Amino acid sequence: MEGAEPEYLLLHYTADHWDFPKGNIEAGEAEKQAAIREIREETGISDIEFIDDFRMKIEYRYRHSKRLVQKEVVLFLARTHTRQVTLSREHIGFAWRNYQDAMQQLTYRNAKNILGAAKEFLSKYSFAYR
């Protein structure tokens, strides 16, 4: 609906946190190709339209078994006309949320920072939501 507030897709991971769809780049993939593949694998959504000029990179560490892993993630802003989500085994739930509700539901500060930057980007460029 033109002019409506955007909703953001959040995934509930099996590790019991809420975050955006993301994953790893496979050999020979460009960043956006990896994003499309990961979104399709994690949600079943394949009609992705990237919003130009929004790209954020974050880095963080997490424990995998007893090993500390450094991860770099590049996130994009995209839209879809698909509301139906088919979850992968990596997830136990999903939610479409407006900005305020998404800020409340996201688990990690870096995800909240990305969401804040996305909202600012959309506002700055008076992006029409549809």
Side-chain angles (χ1 to χ4, degrees), residues 8 54-56 77 99 103 110-125:
Y8 303 90
F54 184 90
R55 177 188 181 275
M56 284 194 70
L77 191 55
Y99 176 78
M103 274 297 203
N110 61 13
K112 292 179 184 194
N113 291 342
I114 290 164
L115 181 58
K119 180 177 177 41
E120 183 178 323
F121 176 87
L122 293 172
S123 297
K124 182 177 179 182
Y125 292 99

Side-chain angles (χ1 to χ4, degrees), residues 32 51-55 121:
K32 286 186 178 177
I51 296 171
D52 291 337
D53 300 325
F54 184 90
R55 177 188 181 275
F121 176 87

Side-chain angles (χ1 to χ4, degrees), residues 24-85:
N24 296 309
I25 293 179
E26 293 182 354
E29 276 185 323
E31 291 174 344
K32 286 186 178 177
Q33 289 173 318
I36 291 167
R37 178 185 49 75
E38 286 289 346
I39 291 167
R40 187 178 54 248
E41 289 175 1
E42 294 183 356
T43 69
I45 296 173
S46 59
D47 70 318
I48 300 298
E49 179 187 346
F50 290 104
I51 296 171
D52 291 337
D53 300 325
F54 184 90
R55 177 188 181 275
M56 284 194 70
K57 181 170 73 169
I58 59 169
E59 294 182 38
Y60 58 91
R61 294 184 195 131
Y62 67 96
R63 289 222 173 268
H64 182 70
S65 300
K66 294 183 178 186
R67 203 172 55 115
L68 190 60
V69 177
Q70 176 80 22
K71 186 165 185 173
E72 178 181 285
V73 179
V74 175
L75 292 110
F76 299 99
L77 191 55
R79 68 175 150 211
T80 182
H81 296 288
T82 302
R83 300 285 297 174
Q84 179 63 38
V85 173

